[in-house]
Amino acid sequence: MTLQLVLVVAAALFCVGLYGALSQQVVVMVMMGLELMLNGLVLAAAAIWLFLAPRPTGEVLLLVVLAVMTLEMAMGFAVAVLVHRRRGSDMTDMAGDLAG
């Protein structure tokens, strides 16, 4: 396994997530696309740290990033469930008044 191979896989994850986030209108699917994009970034960061500077400080930072991503997705799903319960829809167009 080389750094280039891992970066190609990370770029593929990011691209699939970007396509999913931009092409879907259901809130859960958009969040899944965002999660794939973040996972691609984390995989690229982990590969760079592993191949270029294998010190434990990078791994600790990645664990913190994963914990923040988990918290962010939990908050996003809570908002999606609340919007679905109040309005009966899970489309992003119905949650336009939540912006700003």
Side-chain angles (χ1 to χ4, degrees), residues 28-91:
V28 175
M29 296 301 287
V30 171
M31 292 177 61
M32 288 175 63
L34 293 175
E35 184 72 22
L36 271 179
M37 290 171 59
L38 289 174
N39 283 335
L41 292 176
V42 168
L43 179 63
I48 287 172
W49 273 317
L50 179 67
F51 284 100
L52 300 181
R55 283 182 269 166
T57 56
E59 295 169 356
V60 172
L61 180 62
L62 285 177
L63 289 176
V64 170
V65 168
L66 286 175
V68 169
M69 284 175 43
T70 304
L71 178 65
E72 177 256 336
M73 292 312 272
M75 295 294 292
F77 280 118
V79 170
V81 168
L82 183 64
V83 167
H84 179 68
R85 286 184 181 171
R86 296 252 171 134
R87 299 182 182 162
S89 176
D90 57 351
M91 305 297 280

